[in-house]
Amino acid sequence: ANGEEKYLNIIALIEWDLKGGASEWRQKLDTQRGDILTTEMKNNKCKLAKWTVSSILAGSDLLKFGYVTRSMPRSSGESIGHSILGTQEFIPKQFAAQISLDMNNAWGILRVIV
C-alpha cells in the first residue's frame, strides 16, 4: 500500500461435488464463507497445513485462497472451465494458529526425516 513489496502465496481450493449438481459454493460463499473454510479445514487439513508451512518458510506476507468451482459441467462429467467465486486472505502465521498448526512440530518432523 505504501510502496513496499509484499509477497503472497495463492492457493486454489477447488469444490468437489460428488452429486454432479448445482454448486453449493455458488449459493453459500457470500453468506457462509467461514463454514466453507471450516469444511475445507476438516476435509483437507494436511493440504492446508502444507501450504501454510510453505508460505511461512517462503517468507510470504499473505496467503490467499481462491474458491474455485467448475463452470458449466457437462453430462459426461467433464467441465468446460472453472470459475473463481471469491477469495480470502490470511497472514500465514495467524492462519497457522487458526488451524492449530504447531511449527515446532513441523520442524521436529523435518529433523526426523533429515
Side-chain angles (χ1 to χ4, degrees):
N2 56 3
E4 70 182 69
E5 288 185 3
K6 297 238 179 209
Y7 297 98
L8 109 111
N9 279 15
I10 301 171
I11 304 297
L13 296 173
I14 301 172
E15 181 180 33
W16 177 257
D17 184 18
L18 293 173
K19 300 174 206 112
S23 166
E24 188 174 294
W25 284 8
R26 288 181 194 275
Q27 299 162 0
K28 295 183 177 180
L29 191 62
D30 288 334
T31 59
Q32 299 176 354
R33 189 172 304 223
D35 290 344
I36 291 173
L37 184 59
T38 300
T39 301
E40 287 299 308
M41 284 182 201
K42 183 181 77 168
N43 294 337
N44 297 302
K45 186 164 184 161
C46 186
K47 283 183 185 180
L48 290 171
K50 177 179 74 170
W51 294 330
T52 305
V53 168
S54 175
S55 295
I56 291 170
L57 292 177
S60 296
D61 299 302
L62 294 171
L63 176 59
K64 190 168 207 164
F65 295 115
Y67 295 92
V68 178
T69 188
R70 289 184 173 93
S71 53
M72 298 186 291
R74 296 181 183 169
S75 59
S76 65
E78 296 180 36
S79 66
I80 295 174
H82 292 81
S83 298
I84 301 172
L85 301 177
T87 62
Q88 194 170 10
E89 60 185 44
F90 298 92
I91 295 171
K93 288 183 180 177
Q94 290 176 356
F95 188 72
Q98 186 174 339
I99 64 172
S100 303
L101 176 65
D102 181 4
M103 283 303 291
N104 289 326
N105 189 37
W107 285 113
I109 292 168
L110 182 64
R111 282 187 205 104
V112 168
I113 293 172
V114 177

